[in-house]
Amino acid sequence: MSQAKPAAAPKRKTATLTESSGNKSLEMPVMDGTIGPSVIDIRKLYAETGYFTYDPGFTSTGSCESKITYIDGDEGVLLHRGYAIEELAEHSDFMEVAYLLLNGELPTLEEKKKFEHSITYHTMVHEQLSTFYRGFRRDAHPMAVMCGVVGALSAFYHDSLDINDPHQRMIASFRLIAKMPTIAAMAYKYSMGQPFMYPKNKLSYAENFLRMTFGVPAEEYEINPVLAKAMDRIFILHADHEQNASTSTVRLAGSSGANPFACIAAGIASLWGPAHGGANEAVLSMLRQIGDKKNIPEYVKRSKDKNDTFRLMGFGHRVYKNYDPRAQVMRKTCHEVLGELGVRHEPLLDLAMELERIALEDEYFVSKKLYPNVDFYSGIILRAMGFPTSMFTVLFAIARTVGWIAQWREMIEDPSQKIGRPRQLYTGYTRRPYKPVQQRG
Ligand code: SDX
């Protein structure tokens, strides 16, 4: 009886790059993900052809393989380890999402309690760190304080700097996630000239942060459960977002072997930019600049003018060409918080909703698929909760520290990881002889 032929191995997908002269051609492997775009593996391109690729904004470049977060920009889908952001925002809490991002699975009750204990018992900072704040002016932007203080953690916690020791990586991760709210609240208190508040271990992550920020030693701070839930949900919505600018900064810093505190400080610096995490602060400034609904058409017109630097902050996204699913949840939370606070009439919210309505009907925005992103509504909620505009990006940094840590650990634990070192298209001078100063000018 003839042996059944073994099924032919599926032909490996490849992509071929051929020079127009036809002299050079390179066949490169195509790698498929679980979902989402496949990638062309160009790692041998330069060695075999002498060519670099060119993609300054990394619009078509996959910098790594990851299992943490998936975004479908056309469909407006955001998954964390396979779970949709809408479901996590509705049913989960920030500590559970943090565990999920870090470990890949939702925790059992026992695992969650153990994780929360680990975080809670790292919320205090070294007492000497509080003197570090004295070096800043009271009116320093809190993001400047965050960059400085978080980077300085590596001067205090020498027992969790060795990135090659899994235990030290875990302790550094717990310390960063746990201490960010404490450091952020201290930055706010310092700017207000109020005393620092110590964390309370019986409170949840969000409750602790609200108390350290708005509480004072002179009286008990009463937790508002609706605001605490809103804070926790806002943290969930900002926890991770694939290879965005600040996460890519953390990965690149970490690829050199820099300690985790330095890497997270680098991420904070990148997040600060108004095109990225600084957008929530910029949205409030923009709404104040627009001032009245009657001015919206003029500003929408300006945002289309290439000669005008004005852009509609909180609109557009490199990946989302549909509604940012986080913006939808944020809008719902906005109404809940304003309702809880008894804010019947919030002019900035009315202005924001009218701006959203007009922009979403405008041909320019429709054709370029510019939708509200996560930052469009967050500023209005945070302002209603009592945070000054300058603290908005700080809150983003607190939440995103979980994502930065998860991505950093994935990169460190990837056996194939190497130092990130992009190349360039050089268009400067070719070699030329030095010219003594007497011969210049
Ligand atoms: C975050 O990457 C992430 O995942 C980030 C983030 C995360 O969670 O980590 O989601 C958080 O950073 C959200 C984005 C917050 N930023 C803003 O809201 C700032 C305003 N938005 C823009 O700066 C812009 O939309 C970016 C930076 C967000 C995206 O810029 P891209 O992908 O480089 O797109 P682009 O600048 O090339 O814009 C494409 C076109 C351009 O017009 P053309 O040159 O094609 O004619 O759309 C226009 C832009 O001029 N455009 C806008 C606009 N955003 C883009 N026009 C008016 N207003 C805007 N907001």
Side-chain angles (χ1 to χ4, degrees), residues 59 71 237-238 240-247 271 273-280 282-283 300 302-304 306 310-321 324 326 364-365 368 370-371 373-376 396 400:
T59 50
I71 304 172
L237 295 174
H238 289 81
D240 190 54
H241 213 241
E242 201 212 67
Q243 305 313 318
N244 58 85
S246 54
T247 297
L271 187 74
H276 188 16
N280 52 19
V283 166
V300 169
R302 282 188 56 190
S303 77
K304 306 175 198 174
K306 298 303 170 202
F310 178 81
R311 288 286 175 274
L312 283 189
M313 303 315 279
F315 275 83
H317 199 278
R318 170 61 58 78
V319 178
Y320 288 123
K321 301 309 171 190
D324 181 338
R326 301 168 298 175
Y364 177 90
F365 283 80
K368 292 184 184 295
L370 301 172
Y371 290 86
N373 57 48
V374 67
D375 293 302
F376 187 63
F396 196 149
R400 188 52 58 89

Side-chain angles (χ1 to χ4, degrees), residues 88-93 206-207 210 224-234 236 333 336:
L88 293 171
E90 183 66 30
H91 304 299
S92 189
D93 61 50
E207 290 170 345
L210 289 173
N224 177 323
V226 174
L227 298 191
K229 176 70 184 160
M231 189 79 264
D232 189 87
R233 186 182 293 166
I234 289 169
I236 291 174
T333 305
E336 285 170 9

Side-chain angles (χ1 to χ4, degrees), residues 4-151:
K5 279 187 182 167
K11 189 171 176 340
R12 200 174 59 148
K13 279 191 334 189
T14 61
T16 303
L17 196 58
T18 305
E19 226 183 13
S20 50
S21 64
N23 296 336
K24 279 185 186 174
S25 179
L26 178 66
E27 194 173 19
M28 296 162 284
V30 170
M31 300 161 70
D32 294 328
T34 325
I35 43 177
S38 298
V39 298
I40 299 171
D41 181 348
I42 59 165
R43 282 176 284 190
K44 292 194 170 60
L45 178 70
Y46 177 58
E48 299 197 9
T49 69
Y51 281 107
F52 294 144
T53 58
Y54 186 67
D55 186 12
F58 308 123
T59 50
S60 305
T61 295
S63 61
C64 63
E65 178 182 338
S66 181
K67 301 180 184 341
I68 299 172
T69 289
Y70 173 72
I71 304 172
D72 181 331
D74 294 327
E75 297 302 317
V77 168
L78 170 56
L79 306 179
H80 289 320
R81 302 285 192 178
Y83 295 99
I85 190 65
E86 300 90 338
E87 290 193 81
L88 293 171
E90 183 66 30
H91 304 299
S92 189
D93 61 50
F94 184 62
M95 281 293 96
E96 187 172 81
V97 171
Y99 183 97
L100 172 68
L101 289 169
L102 290 167
N103 300 294
E105 297 295 340
L106 288 169
T108 62
L109 200 54
E110 201 46 44
E111 288 166 336
K112 185 178 176 186
K113 279 187 184 151
K114 187 165 177 273
F115 179 71
E116 282 181 326
H117 182 277
S118 301
I119 298 299
T120 300
Y121 283 79
H122 278 289
T123 46
M124 282 176 64
V125 293
H126 188 294
E127 190 61 17
Q128 201 172 312
L129 202 71
S130 59
T131 57
F132 199 83
Y133 286 74
R134 306 282 174 244
F136 292 103
R137 282 175 39 159
R138 293 279 179 177
D139 61 353
H141 194 291
M143 282 299 278
V145 176
M146 295 302 288
C147 289
V149 175
V150 173

Side-chain angles (χ1 to χ4, degrees), residues 224-397:
N224 177 323
V226 174
L227 298 191
K229 176 70 184 160
M231 189 79 264
D232 189 87
R233 186 182 293 166
I234 289 169
F235 285 152
I236 291 174
L237 295 174
H238 289 81
D240 190 54
H241 213 241
E242 201 212 67
Q243 305 313 318
N244 58 85
S246 54
T247 297
S248 300
T249 301
V250 171
R251 277 180 172 261
L252 195 55
S255 73
S256 74
N259 74 69
F261 304 105
C263 294
I264 298 304
I268 294 170
S270 171
L271 187 74
W272 194 358
H276 188 16
N280 52 19
E281 180 175 352
V283 166
L284 255 290
S285 308
M286 174 191 73
L287 291 173
R288 289 193 182 109
Q289 185 184 355
I290 294 174
D292 188 290
K293 289 180 184 177
K294 68 179 184 324
N295 301 327
I296 291 177
E298 174 212 340
Y299 280 91
V300 169
K301 184 167 176 286
R302 282 188 56 190
S303 77
K304 306 175 198 174
D305 178 356
K306 298 303 170 202
N307 300 316
D308 191 327
T309 55
F310 178 81
R311 288 286 175 274
L312 283 189
M313 303 315 279
F315 275 83
H317 199 278
R318 170 61 58 78
V319 178
Y320 288 123
K321 301 309 171 190
N322 196 323
Y323 241 99
D324 181 338
R326 301 168 298 175
Q328 311 253 32
V329 179
M330 204 60 91
R331 183 201 296 185
K332 177 170 166 277
T333 305
C334 196
H335 289 293
E336 285 170 9
V337 167
L338 294 181
E340 170 62 23
L341 294 174
V343 177
R344 294 282 168 258
H345 177 60
E346 163 54 78
L348 288 177
L349 177 60
D350 296 344
L351 190 58
M353 292 184 73
E354 179 64 5
L355 175 60
E356 181 185 35
R357 185 188 66 77
I358 292 174
L360 293 182
E361 290 171 358
D362 183 283
E363 174 48 34
Y364 177 90
F365 283 80
V366 172
S367 64
K368 292 184 184 295
K369 299 182 178 179
L370 301 172
Y371 290 86
N373 57 48
V374 67
D375 293 302
F376 187 63
Y377 282 103
S378 57
I380 296 165
I381 304 174
L382 298 174
R383 179 175 169 274
M385 293 173 76
F387 293 102
T389 310
S390 60
M391 280 293 286
F392 292 178
T393 310
V394 173
L395 304 185
F396 196 149

